Amino acid sequence: MMRWVLGLAALFLLPTAPAMAQNWNAEFADTGQGIRVGDAEAPLQIVSYSSYTCPHCAQFERQSEAELRYFFVHEGFAALEVRHMIRNPVDLAAALLTECGDTDRFFDNHKAIMASQQDWLTTAQGLTHAQIQRWNAGTVPARMRAIASDLGFYDIMEGRGYSRTEMDRCLSDQPKAEAISALSSANLDEYPIQGTPSFVVNGELLEGVHSWEGLRAVLQAIRTGASAPQE
């Protein structure tokens, strides 16, 4: 018995394993103005203003993800908040779908819509007169559902695990649509945004920076204490 007790005591003297590093890519929050991923106390607070019909925004998503999400955000150096810039009804329909469901689904929904942008923009160029009329007449929910159907948004989101019923519920949420549009207008009142994507870092709008290359240079300069170059 004594030998067993001594063995148990020795077990408690063993060094504990190091704690797992925090994965800030798994921390999401609705800020009331956008959706944030990362540490709310990170030294770099990045706000990205994005439009789903903006080709440069889709390019930014492709180019930035590996380093921005899986280095800056993952390691706790930065938090990234995406805010919608609604330029047209397509932007609104896409925003309603990316925000469909729990907050932790937003960034993958956002990525899916952006990744397929070239395909659905090409589809949009071949719309019939009747389809265009459906987009501009009737109730807001009916218009949102027509856009989602004509551009293949339903198929994209089904690939994300959504049912048609779930998507229709989100697309038909007129108070949500009005809130998203109002926030987009408020963003323009807060900062003199000239185009998308645009970025605010630690409360300061980066004038002339509309690409990952430009934002990356600013982030690295801030981290090293250097003067940040502008595009």
Side-chain angles (χ1 to χ4, degrees), residues 52-73:
Y52 289 106
T53 53
C54 161
H56 293 295
C57 296
Q59 182 181 50
F60 170 78
E61 294 298 325
R62 290 193 302 271
Q63 293 178 343
S64 69
E65 183 181 30
E67 191 168 1
L68 180 56
R69 286 292 303 278
Y70 296 101
F71 174 66
F72 282 98
V73 173

Side-chain angles (χ1 to χ4, degrees), residues 11 38 44 46 55 59 112 114 116 119 122 136 139 148 151 159 199 207:
L11 179 63
L44 294 170
I46 306 164
Q59 182 181 50
M114 285 296 198
S116 55
D119 293 334
T122 299
N136 294 285
T139 65
L151 295 185
F199 310 100
E207 296 184 10

